[in-house]
Amino acid sequence: MARPENVKFGVLGKNIGYSLSPKIHKAVFEVLGIQAEYDLINFSKTDLSKADIDEIKHQYKGFNVTIPFKEKIMPFLDEVTEDAWKIGAVNTVRVETKGLVGYNTDYIGFRVSLERAFDWPIESAIVLGTGGAAKMAVAVLKDLKVRTIFTVTREKGGILGTQTLSYERLEALCPRTDLLINATPIGSVQYKDQMPISEALLKKQKGVFDMVYVPEKTKLLQLAETLNIPRINGFNMLLIQAVAAESIWLERELDVMALVEAIGPKCK
C-alpha cells in the first residue's frame, strides 16, 4: 500500500549533526519521485524514555536509529524481526497502526560492502566494540563462516561466540588477522584524529573496514593507506542500509544497488 504524500522520516541518535542520512534519503525521494521529509532526531542525552518514543512515533512514519540507541530502542518496540532479534540491535523502525516494528538493515549494508571490497577468504577478524554495530558485524562474520572472531571492549561483557579481549590484552597479543573492523565512533568527528588501535597492531592486519564515514578518511584509514593495507570506510554501507530501509517504509521492492549507484555521487 502506498504511503501518503508529505510524510516524515528521520534518524534518531546522539549528537548526529554530521550525519549524511538526510542528504541520502532526500536523494532517494528525488529519484523515486516521492514527496517526503527526512529529519535529524538529534538527542544530547544517552537514554531513551517512553515519552521520547511516543513523541517520535506521532511525528514520523519511520525512522533510522544510530549510536547509542540501536540496542536501547528495542524495549520500546512492539515487534522486532527475527533477524534483528538475533543480532540484538535495531537500526530501522517502521511505524504501523499496530505499533513500532524494528528491523536491521545494517546487516545487508555491511555484508554487501564487505563482500565487494575484499575478495580473499576471511578466516579471522577483529571487531572493535561490542555495541549494536559490532553485534551486527559479528552476525555477518558468523554467517560467512569466519572461524576466529575477536571482539574488543573497554567495558565488561562481550558478544556470544567470540573471543572478547580488552584493548590492553589485544595490543599485547597483537594477532595477525584477515580483517580489522572498527565498529566504534573513534575517528569520527567527535573523536577526530584519534586511533582505536596502535600502528603496530594495524601492521598485522590484512584489511580494514572502518564503519566511520565522516571524515571520509579517519586517522586509522590514513595510516592504513600509508601502509598499503586494503581498506574501506562506512559510506557504501550507509547508502545500502538507507535504501533497504526505504524499501521497508515504502512497502516497495526497490532495486537497492541500482538506487545506490544513482544516488552515491550526489551524497558525498
Side-chain angles (χ1 to χ4, degrees), residues 12-14 45-47 65-73:
L12 169 65
K14 179 177 182 289
K45 60 182 183 178
T46 56
D47 293 317
V65 185
T66 190
I67 294 174
F69 301 128
K70 291 183 181 184
E71 298 164 286
K72 294 178 180 180
I73 190 77

Side-chain angles (χ1 to χ4, degrees), residues 218-233:
T218 60
K219 189 172 181 180
L220 177 67
L221 291 181
Q222 289 175 28
L223 185 54
E225 183 176 23
T226 300
L227 296 170
N228 202 29
I229 298 172
R231 64 218 163 267
I232 186 175
N233 68 10

Side-chain angles (χ1 to χ4, degrees), residues 16-165:
I16 52 173
Y18 64 89
S19 176
L20 292 178
S21 289
K23 192 173 185 180
I24 290 169
H25 286 275
K26 287 172 184 176
V28 174
F29 298 149
E30 182 179 339
V31 171
L32 296 178
I34 293 171
Q35 296 295 316
E37 299 176 22
Y38 190 97
D39 301 332
L40 293 179
I41 310 170
N42 200 1
F43 283 18
S44 59
K45 60 182 183 178
T46 56
D47 293 317
L48 292 174
S49 68
K50 185 177 184 301
D52 294 327
I53 302 305
D54 285 344
E55 183 177 352
I56 292 168
K57 75 181 182 183
H58 287 117
Q59 294 185 57
Y60 298 92
K61 292 295 183 181
F63 56 96
N64 293 122
V65 185
T66 190
I67 294 174
F69 301 128
K70 291 183 181 184
E71 298 164 286
K72 294 178 180 180
I73 190 77
M74 294 180 74
F76 299 101
L77 303 178
D78 299 284
E79 183 182 337
V80 176
T81 63
E82 183 178 351
D83 289 344
W85 189 261
K86 279 176 58 180
I87 292 168
V90 162
N91 81 306
T92 298
V93 176
R94 187 170 73 184
V95 180
E96 301 183 358
T97 53
K98 64 180 179 180
L100 302 178
V101 182
Y103 302 78
N104 194 301
T105 63
D106 279 337
Y107 180 99
I108 184 174
F110 178 74
R111 180 163 182 165
V112 171
S113 297
L114 178 65
E115 292 181 320
R116 287 188 163 207
F118 307 106
D119 59 2
W120 59 78
I122 298 172
E123 297 185 350
S124 58
I126 297 170
V127 180
L128 304 179
T130 52
K135 287 180 176 178
M136 175 279 301
V138 168
V140 170
L141 295 174
K142 287 181 177 179
D143 287 347
L144 293 175
K145 309 301 182 187
V146 176
R147 293 187 298 179
T148 303
I149 306 172
F150 298 99
T151 50
V152 190
T153 180
R154 298 191 187 281
E155 302 172 357
K156 292 182 179 179
I159 299 175
L160 191 64
T162 71
Q163 300 180 47
T164 303
L165 305 171

